């Protein structure tokens, strides 16, 4: 039961620190265009840890990867690696950037 | 003079530093020593830190920073007709009135939970804010930001809607679109506390932004949920809203593409009798003759257009792009409807603002932390100014134009 978490943790941990800085900037600035720089919402819904507390990590990953075609959420799967998307989803759950 | 009064908390750090050094008598500190006009000023939004920088465009220097403006994600602003005050709309629902001469916030209200932009009335007395949460517009006096009217955007579908694309129109009107309700409304505020509403329903799926032409006649909403735009002729409001350029993305085996940044519409899309509009999801700029509103051309460009902006003389149209093409700017030659130049100013080109007569253009480059000034005839970079994650650039000349 613990194994999937270990696997995903290892995947996200593989990202270089400079890539994490890029992803943090992407999250704040580009995701922030619709969800707000502080992720409190805009055209898109809020993505604070409280706002996503009822959404599973898998659903977050699914949404970031494939988007929500009927709303304005684009799929990031074509632009980001699975480990990067997982890092973003974990980051949303955590609410702060990785140390 | 300055030393005799306490330094307000909102005054910039730069000014504070100068004050401590006792250098103020030698410098034209705004509001202090030398009177100046505001017609050459511009305000740059530093969106991540909640501040703006006031720059002057005669010598292209930074005058001062104004802090304490809250969450400036997607911040926009309008100007008082005397060009002295900026009304800044923040994402957190904050509406701030900033004196460009003193660099002070004269009033600030948190008027909603989440806002997107605003407009100023024809007579300059009212400022309206378009809100996401709760959906609707709120109208305030430009004198002191006291509340004047509250217009919830309850759609015919019974739901409160996010409001987008607000524009001022002649006759003390505001026109805006309801994203979740697929409607366009006109609010007539000739009697400010008794707004008269005209509502158009089923105007098209998910209007995401709107513009009004410089003469105040046509209001156009871009549609996210379908390939096309919605047009309202304000000279003939009884004729209703009609779709224009429907189905532009459905030819030539072009599947619907994801949109990585919503395009922005404003009245600068007009040049030489034509409208230049972003094709949502496509790497194209759409062109239509104003008045006919038939598709005249599609101009292939480098990425998904975000801003499509005509130089004030209408000879060129400058375009920037959504992620991952946001390091590039392209210039369209209006007579030939072809891209004649491509610039790569740097990562994260957010916005462009022409000088009022168009000899130069300011470009904000978010991830490079600077704004650049380009000569629009030679495309040579003339100047760079350091900024913290700059986004919108707003020249005070907007204060005298319909739709800005």
């Amino acid at each position: 039961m613990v194994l999937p978490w270990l696997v995903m943790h290892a995947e996200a941990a593989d990202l270089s620190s400079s890539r994490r800085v890029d992803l943090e900037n992407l999250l704040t600035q580009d995701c922030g265009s619709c969800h707000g720089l502080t992720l409190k919402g805009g055209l898109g819904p809020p993505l604070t840890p409280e706002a996503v507390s009822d959404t599973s990590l898998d659903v977050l990953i699914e949404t970031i990867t494939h988007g929500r075609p009927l709303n304005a959420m684009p799929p990031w799967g074509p632009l980001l690696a699975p480990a990067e998307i997982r890092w973003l989803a974990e980051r949303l759950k955590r609410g702060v950037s990785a140390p | 003079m300055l030393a005799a009064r306490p330094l307000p908390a909102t005054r910039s750090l730069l000014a504070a530093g100068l004050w401590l050094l006792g250098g103020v008598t030698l410098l034209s500190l705004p509001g202090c020593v030398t009177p100046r006009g505001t017609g050459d000023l511009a305000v740059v939004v530093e969106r991540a830190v909640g501040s703006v920088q006031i720059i002057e465009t005669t010598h292209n220097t930074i005058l001062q920073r104004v802090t304490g403006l809250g969450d400036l994600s997607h911040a926009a602003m309008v100007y008082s007709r005397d060009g002295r005050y900026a009304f800044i709309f923040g994402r957190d629902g904050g509406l701030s009135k900033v004196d460009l001469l003193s660099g002070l916030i004269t009033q600030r209200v948190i008027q909603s939970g989440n806002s997107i932009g605003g407009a100023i009335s024809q007579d300059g007395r009212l400022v309206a804010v378009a809100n996401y949460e709760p959906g609707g517009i709120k109208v305030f006096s430009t004198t002191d930001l006291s509340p004047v009217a509250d217009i919830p955007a309850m759609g015919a579908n019974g739901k409160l809607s996010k409001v987008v694309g607000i524009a001022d129109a002649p006759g003390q009107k505001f026109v805006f679109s309801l994203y979740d309700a697929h409607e366009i409304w006109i609010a007539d505020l000739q009697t400010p506390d008794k707004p008269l509403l005209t509502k158009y329903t089923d105007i098209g799926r998910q209007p995401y932004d709107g513009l009004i032409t410089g003469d105040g006649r046509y209001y156009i909403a871009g549609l996210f949920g379908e390939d096309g735009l919605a047009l309202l002729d304000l000279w003939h409001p009884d004729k209703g809203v009609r779709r224009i350029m429907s189905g532009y993305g459905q030819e030539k085996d072009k599947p619907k593409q994801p949109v990585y940044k919503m395009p922005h519409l404003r009245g600068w899309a007009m040049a030489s009798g034509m409208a230049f509009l972003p094709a949502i999801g496509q790497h194209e700029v759409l062109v239509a003759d104003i008045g006919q509103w038939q598709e005249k051309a599609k101009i292939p460009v480098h990425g998904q257009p975000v801003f499509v902006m005509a130089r004030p003389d209408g000879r060129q149209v400058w375009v920037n792009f959504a992620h991952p093409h946001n390091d590039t700017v392209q210039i369209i030659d209006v007579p030939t409807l072809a891209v004649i130049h491509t610039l790569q100013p740097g990562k994260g080109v957010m916005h462009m603002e022409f000088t009022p007569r168009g000899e130069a253009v300011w470009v904000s480059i978010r991830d490079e932390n600077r704004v650049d000034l380009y000569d629009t005839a030679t495309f040579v970079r003339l100047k760079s100014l350091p900024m913290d994650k700059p986004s919108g650039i707003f020249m005070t000349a907007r204060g005298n134009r319909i739709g800005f």
Side-chain angles (χ1 to χ4, degrees), chain B residues 191-223:
Chain B
T191 309
D193 57 349
K194 292 191 180 62
L196 212 63
L197 300 177
T198 308
K199 303 176 182 179
Y200 300 89
T201 56
D202 294 321
I203 59 96
R205 297 282 308 165
Q206 292 164 306
Y208 65 85
D209 198 6
L211 69 84
I212 194 161
T213 50
D215 57 4
R217 175 168 179 180
Y218 297 105
Y219 178 84
I220 299 171
L223 301 174

Short mmCIF file of all heavy atoms in Angstrom, two decimals, chain B residues 191-223:
data_model
loop_
_atom_site.label_atom_id
_atom_site.label_comp_id
_atom_site.label_asym_id
_atom_site.label_seq_id
_atom_site.Cartn_x
_atom_site.Cartn_y
_atom_site.Cartn_z
N THR B 191 -28.69 58.06 -14.24
CA THR B 191 -29.07 58.26 -12.84
C THR B 191 -28.27 57.24 -12.05
O THR B 191 -28.62 56.06 -11.99
CB THR B 191 -30.58 58.02 -12.63
OG1 THR B 191 -31.30 58.80 -13.60
CG2 THR B 191 -31.00 58.42 -11.23
N PRO B 192 -27.14 57.68 -11.47
CA PRO B 192 -26.13 56.73 -11.00
C PRO B 192 -26.64 55.67 -10.01
O PRO B 192 -26.25 54.52 -10.09
CB PRO B 192 -25.09 57.63 -10.34
CG PRO B 192 -25.26 58.94 -10.99
CD PRO B 192 -26.72 59.07 -11.29
N ASP B 193 -27.52 56.06 -9.12
CA ASP B 193 -27.95 55.07 -8.12
C ASP B 193 -29.16 54.26 -8.59
O ASP B 193 -29.69 53.45 -7.86
CB ASP B 193 -28.21 55.74 -6.78
CG ASP B 193 -29.25 56.84 -6.89
OD1 ASP B 193 -29.60 57.21 -8.03
OD2 ASP B 193 -29.73 57.31 -5.85
N LYS B 194 -29.61 54.52 -9.83
CA LYS B 194 -30.70 53.72 -10.40
C LYS B 194 -30.30 53.20 -11.79
O LYS B 194 -30.80 53.66 -12.81
CB LYS B 194 -31.98 54.54 -10.50
CG LYS B 194 -32.56 54.91 -9.14
CD LYS B 194 -33.95 55.49 -9.29
CE LYS B 194 -34.55 55.87 -7.95
NZ LYS B 194 -33.75 56.92 -7.24
N PRO B 195 -29.38 52.25 -11.82
CA PRO B 195 -28.89 51.76 -13.11
C PRO B 195 -30.02 51.13 -13.93
O PRO B 195 -30.86 50.43 -13.39
CB PRO B 195 -27.87 50.68 -12.72
CG PRO B 195 -27.60 50.85 -11.28
CD PRO B 195 -28.79 51.52 -10.68
N LEU B 196 -30.01 51.43 -15.22
CA LEU B 196 -31.00 50.88 -16.14
C LEU B 196 -30.29 49.78 -16.94
O LEU B 196 -29.31 50.04 -17.62
CB LEU B 196 -31.44 52.00 -17.09
CG LEU B 196 -32.86 51.98 -17.62
CD1 LEU B 196 -33.86 52.11 -16.46
CD2 LEU B 196 -33.05 53.11 -18.61
N LEU B 197 -30.79 48.55 -16.83
CA LEU B 197 -30.09 47.43 -17.45
C LEU B 197 -30.77 46.96 -18.73
O LEU B 197 -32.00 46.85 -18.79
CB LEU B 197 -30.02 46.25 -16.47
CG LEU B 197 -29.29 46.50 -15.14
CD1 LEU B 197 -29.37 45.26 -14.25
CD2 LEU B 197 -27.84 46.89 -15.40
N THR B 198 -29.97 46.68 -19.74
CA THR B 198 -30.45 46.01 -20.95
C THR B 198 -29.66 44.72 -21.06
O THR B 198 -28.43 44.75 -21.02
CB THR B 198 -30.20 46.87 -22.20
OG1 THR B 198 -30.74 48.17 -21.98
CG2 THR B 198 -30.84 46.26 -23.44
N LYS B 199 -30.37 43.59 -21.19
CA LYS B 199 -29.69 42.29 -21.16
C LYS B 199 -29.89 41.55 -22.48
O LYS B 199 -31.00 41.48 -23.00
CB LYS B 199 -30.24 41.44 -20.01
CG LYS B 199 -30.11 42.10 -18.65
CD LYS B 199 -30.77 41.26 -17.56
CE LYS B 199 -30.67 41.96 -16.21
NZ LYS B 199 -31.32 41.18 -15.12
N TYR B 200 -28.80 40.99 -22.97
CA TYR B 200 -28.86 40.16 -24.18
C TYR B 200 -28.45 38.74 -23.79
O TYR B 200 -27.34 38.55 -23.27
CB TYR B 200 -27.93 40.71 -25.26
CG TYR B 200 -28.27 42.12 -25.67
CD1 TYR B 200 -27.71 43.21 -25.01
CD2 TYR B 200 -29.16 42.36 -26.71
CE1 TYR B 200 -28.02 44.51 -25.37
CE2 TYR B 200 -29.48 43.67 -27.08
CZ TYR B 200 -28.91 44.73 -26.40
OH TYR B 200 -29.23 46.01 -26.76
N THR B 201 -29.31 37.79 -24.03
CA THR B 201 -29.02 36.41 -23.63
C THR B 201 -28.59 35.59 -24.85
O THR B 201 -28.77 36.03 -26.00
CB THR B 201 -30.25 35.76 -22.98
OG1 THR B 201 -31.34 35.84 -23.91
CG2 THR B 201 -30.63 36.44 -21.69
N ASP B 202 -28.02 34.43 -24.58
CA ASP B 202 -27.58 33.50 -25.64
C ASP B 202 -26.71 34.18 -26.69
O ASP B 202 -26.91 34.00 -27.88
CB ASP B 202 -28.79 32.86 -26.34
CG ASP B 202 -29.54 31.94 -25.39
OD1 ASP B 202 -28.87 31.24 -24.60
OD2 ASP B 202 -30.79 31.94 -25.44
N ILE B 203 -25.74 34.96 -26.23
CA ILE B 203 -24.91 35.71 -27.18
C ILE B 203 -23.77 34.85 -27.73
O ILE B 203 -23.06 35.26 -28.66
CB ILE B 203 -24.35 37.01 -26.55
CG1 ILE B 203 -23.51 36.70 -25.30
CG2 ILE B 203 -25.49 37.96 -26.19
CD1 ILE B 203 -22.04 36.61 -25.53
N GLY B 204 -23.57 33.65 -27.17
CA GLY B 204 -22.45 32.79 -27.56
C GLY B 204 -21.85 32.19 -26.31
O GLY B 204 -21.96 32.77 -25.23
N ARG B 205 -21.15 31.08 -26.46
CA ARG B 205 -20.66 30.33 -25.31
C ARG B 205 -19.43 31.01 -24.69
O ARG B 205 -18.44 31.29 -25.37
CB ARG B 205 -20.26 28.91 -25.73
CG ARG B 205 -21.40 28.05 -26.25
CD ARG B 205 -22.26 27.50 -25.15
NE ARG B 205 -21.49 26.81 -24.12
CZ ARG B 205 -21.99 26.50 -22.92
NH1 ARG B 205 -23.22 26.81 -22.61
NH2 ARG B 205 -21.23 25.87 -22.05
N GLN B 206 -19.52 31.26 -23.40
CA GLN B 206 -18.39 31.71 -22.58
C GLN B 206 -17.64 32.92 -23.14
O GLN B 206 -16.48 32.81 -23.56
CB GLN B 206 -17.41 30.55 -22.35
CG GLN B 206 -17.98 29.45 -21.49
CD GLN B 206 -17.16 28.18 -21.59
OE1 GLN B 206 -16.93 27.67 -22.69
NE2 GLN B 206 -16.72 27.66 -20.46
N PRO B 207 -18.29 34.08 -23.17
CA PRO B 207 -17.54 35.30 -23.53
C PRO B 207 -16.41 35.50 -22.51
O PRO B 207 -16.66 35.47 -21.31
CB PRO B 207 -18.58 36.41 -23.44
CG PRO B 207 -19.65 35.87 -22.53
CD PRO B 207 -19.66 34.37 -22.73
N TYR B 208 -15.16 35.65 -23.01
CA TYR B 208 -14.02 35.71 -22.09
C TYR B 208 -13.45 37.10 -21.94
O TYR B 208 -12.71 37.38 -20.99
CB TYR B 208 -12.91 34.75 -22.55
CG TYR B 208 -12.29 35.13 -23.88
CD1 TYR B 208 -11.25 36.04 -23.96
CD2 TYR B 208 -12.77 34.57 -25.07
CE1 TYR B 208 -10.70 36.41 -25.17
CE2 TYR B 208 -12.22 34.93 -26.29
CZ TYR B 208 -11.19 35.85 -26.33
OH TYR B 208 -10.65 36.23 -27.54
N ASP B 209 -13.75 38.01 -22.87
CA ASP B 209 -13.29 39.39 -22.77
C ASP B 209 -14.07 40.20 -23.80
O ASP B 209 -14.73 39.62 -24.67
CB ASP B 209 -11.78 39.49 -23.02
CG ASP B 209 -11.18 40.81 -22.50
OD1 ASP B 209 -11.91 41.59 -21.85
OD2 ASP B 209 -9.99 41.06 -22.74
N GLY B 210 -13.97 41.51 -23.71
CA GLY B 210 -14.71 42.34 -24.65
C GLY B 210 -13.94 43.59 -24.99
O GLY B 210 -12.97 43.95 -24.32
N LEU B 211 -14.37 44.24 -26.06
CA LEU B 211 -13.77 45.51 -26.44
C LEU B 211 -14.85 46.42 -26.99
O LEU B 211 -15.92 45.97 -27.42
CB LEU B 211 -12.68 45.32 -27.49
CG LEU B 211 -13.06 44.89 -28.90
CD1 LEU B 211 -13.48 46.08 -29.79
CD2 LEU B 211 -11.90 44.18 -29.57
N ILE B 212 -14.58 47.72 -26.94
CA ILE B 212 -15.46 48.67 -27.62
C ILE B 212 -14.59 49.45 -28.60
O ILE B 212 -13.43 49.76 -28.31
CB ILE B 212 -16.18 49.58 -26.60
CG1 ILE B 212 -17.32 50.32 -27.25
CG2 ILE B 212 -15.21 50.54 -25.93
CD1 ILE B 212 -18.32 50.86 -26.25
N THR B 213 -15.12 49.70 -29.79
CA THR B 213 -14.33 50.43 -30.77
C THR B 213 -14.14 51.88 -30.30
O THR B 213 -14.90 52.38 -29.47
CB THR B 213 -15.02 50.41 -32.15
OG1 THR B 213 -16.38 50.81 -32.01
CG2 THR B 213 -14.97 49.00 -32.75
N GLY B 214 -13.12 52.52 -30.82
CA GLY B 214 -12.73 53.84 -30.35
C GLY B 214 -13.80 54.91 -30.48
O GLY B 214 -13.78 55.91 -29.77
N ASP B 215 -14.77 54.68 -31.37
CA ASP B 215 -15.87 55.63 -31.52
C ASP B 215 -17.03 55.29 -30.59
O ASP B 215 -18.07 55.97 -30.59
CB ASP B 215 -16.36 55.66 -32.97
CG ASP B 215 -16.79 54.30 -33.49
OD1 ASP B 215 -16.79 53.32 -32.70
OD2 ASP B 215 -17.11 54.18 -34.70
N GLY B 216 -16.87 54.21 -29.82
CA GLY B 216 -17.92 53.84 -28.87
C GLY B 216 -19.12 53.16 -29.50
O GLY B 216 -20.15 52.99 -28.85
N ARG B 217 -19.00 52.75 -30.75
CA ARG B 217 -20.18 52.21 -31.43
C ARG B 217 -20.35 50.70 -31.27
O ARG B 217 -21.44 50.22 -31.00
CB ARG B 217 -20.12 52.55 -32.92
CG ARG B 217 -21.27 51.91 -33.68
CD ARG B 217 -21.44 52.44 -35.08
NE ARG B 217 -22.54 51.74 -35.73
CZ ARG B 217 -22.94 51.96 -36.96
NH1 ARG B 217 -22.33 52.87 -37.71
NH2 ARG B 217 -23.96 51.29 -37.47
N TYR B 218 -19.26 49.95 -31.51
CA TYR B 218 -19.40 48.49 -31.50
C TYR B 218 -18.77 47.90 -30.26
O TYR B 218 -17.63 48.21 -29.91
CB TYR B 218 -18.71 47.88 -32.73
CG TYR B 218 -19.30 48.29 -34.04
CD1 TYR B 218 -18.64 49.22 -34.85
CD2 TYR B 218 -20.51 47.77 -34.48
CE1 TYR B 218 -19.17 49.61 -36.08
CE2 TYR B 218 -21.04 48.15 -35.70
CZ TYR B 218 -20.37 49.08 -36.49
OH TYR B 218 -20.89 49.45 -37.71
N TYR B 219 -19.50 47.00 -29.62
CA TYR B 219 -18.94 46.19 -28.53
C TYR B 219 -18.79 44.77 -29.05
O TYR B 219 -19.74 44.21 -29.63
CB TYR B 219 -19.87 46.21 -27.32
CG TYR B 219 -19.38 45.35 -26.16
CD1 TYR B 219 -18.45 45.85 -25.25
CD2 TYR B 219 -19.86 44.05 -25.98
CE1 TYR B 219 -17.99 45.06 -24.18
CE2 TYR B 219 -19.41 43.26 -24.91
CZ TYR B 219 -18.48 43.78 -24.03
OH TYR B 219 -18.03 43.00 -22.97
N ILE B 220 -17.60 44.20 -28.88
CA ILE B 220 -17.33 42.85 -29.37
C ILE B 220 -16.86 42.00 -28.20
O ILE B 220 -15.94 42.38 -27.48
CB ILE B 220 -16.25 42.85 -30.47
CG1 ILE B 220 -16.70 43.69 -31.67
CG2 ILE B 220 -15.92 41.42 -30.92
CD1 ILE B 220 -15.60 43.91 -32.70
N ALA B 221 -17.50 40.85 -28.01
CA ALA B 221 -17.03 39.90 -27.00
C ALA B 221 -16.39 38.72 -27.71
O ALA B 221 -16.95 38.18 -28.68
CB ALA B 221 -18.21 39.43 -26.14
N GLY B 222 -15.22 38.33 -27.24
CA GLY B 222 -14.59 37.10 -27.73
C GLY B 222 -15.24 35.92 -27.04
O GLY B 222 -15.64 36.01 -25.88
N LEU B 223 -15.38 34.81 -27.74
CA LEU B 223 -16.02 33.63 -27.17
C LEU B 223 -14.99 32.53 -26.98
O LEU B 223 -14.26 32.20 -27.90
CB LEU B 223 -17.15 33.15 -28.08
CG LEU B 223 -18.25 34.17 -28.36
CD1 LEU B 223 -19.23 33.62 -29.39
CD2 LEU B 223 -18.98 34.55 -27.08
#
